[in-house]
Amino acid sequence: MKRINFNLKYTIILLLALAFLVCAMLGLTHIANNFEQVGQHYTENFNANVNRQFSSIVMLFMMGLIILLPERKRIGTTQTLLLSFIVGLLTFEFISALLLIFHIYYSLLSVLVVYFVYVVLLYVFMLKKDKDALAIKNKDVTKIVFWVILSLALGYALSKVPINILSFDSIEYKNLGQIFVKEHYIAQYALYQMSGHAFIPTLLNSIAAMFNFGYAYAIQNMFLVTSLLLFGYVLFDETRKRGIGEKKAFVFALIGFLVLATSFFVIFLGVCLLPNIFAGFFMLFLMYYMYKYIRDKDTINLALSFIFMVAFCFTRVEGPLVA
């Protein structure tokens, strides 16, 4: 009976979330139709643009999920699913940066080949360490299905409605990302431009060029929304662990989530292709997972904090790895 109630709870939440996404998409579409910069996002075939951008989101989400799945027990199922898109995006960009830095032919195929080799080595190591690393309980199957459907629905909604603010730097990041894909290497004429533009925002538009769509607005917005959801869940989880009931923990988490989600940092900088939003969340998650490692002594948290530290270094031109 408990299992039935558990599944029913997630089904109801999922239906309500999907209904909210539909209503939000209709409202955002109305806003977007009256937004002067939206025309810059549309290609001649808008549906093709949406489908290609959605396909890239699905790929990035699955890349992150495949990497994190063996460590799901240590991270937690919900956090694993919330981290999947972020880790998938960072994995794609880390591989891209390494290929460019070491002057190796840069293309979608070369990135996926390196990713495939990494995943094979990871799974061989993890399964030798724990043969049941991929074992999934029925309870977790429900959570995984719930978050996968919700994430994909969110990705499609964000692909359908282009919400973004363009600045001069945004155009520079877009052009530089396209140069990487066109030339397949760091071209000599792009070196000066690279001196003032970091890898993370730039490579966002390399993905757009690889999948042949105009501007990576949905990928950036997906990163923003996923990071906010992860922040909200972290607040809920940490508050709950301190002996506060789930209802009160949910209220505290919701207040914290709304405070951040309605801040200038998110409302303006979150939808403008600049390093600020990426650097802010990378630093936040770096400090959180480092705190968890110090508290729990679990090396998976150290690994996650290291990922976000490297991401932060690749996000700002002042970062030591970029310098």
Side-chain angles (χ1 to χ4, degrees), residues 115-127:
Y115 173 77
F116 177 77
V117 172
Y118 169 73
V119 167
V120 169
L121 294 175
L122 175 67
Y123 271 64
V124 168
F125 174 78
M126 292 304 301
L127 290 175

Side-chain angles (χ1 to χ4, degrees), residues 138-164:
N138 292 334
K139 177 181 177 181
D140 290 333
V141 170
T142 305
K143 285 185 178 181
I144 291 172
V145 171
F146 168 79
W147 282 109
V148 167
I149 294 176
L150 188 60
S151 298
L152 296 182
L154 178 63
Y156 184 76
L158 294 174
S159 301
K160 195 75 174 177
V161 184
I163 298 296
N164 202 265

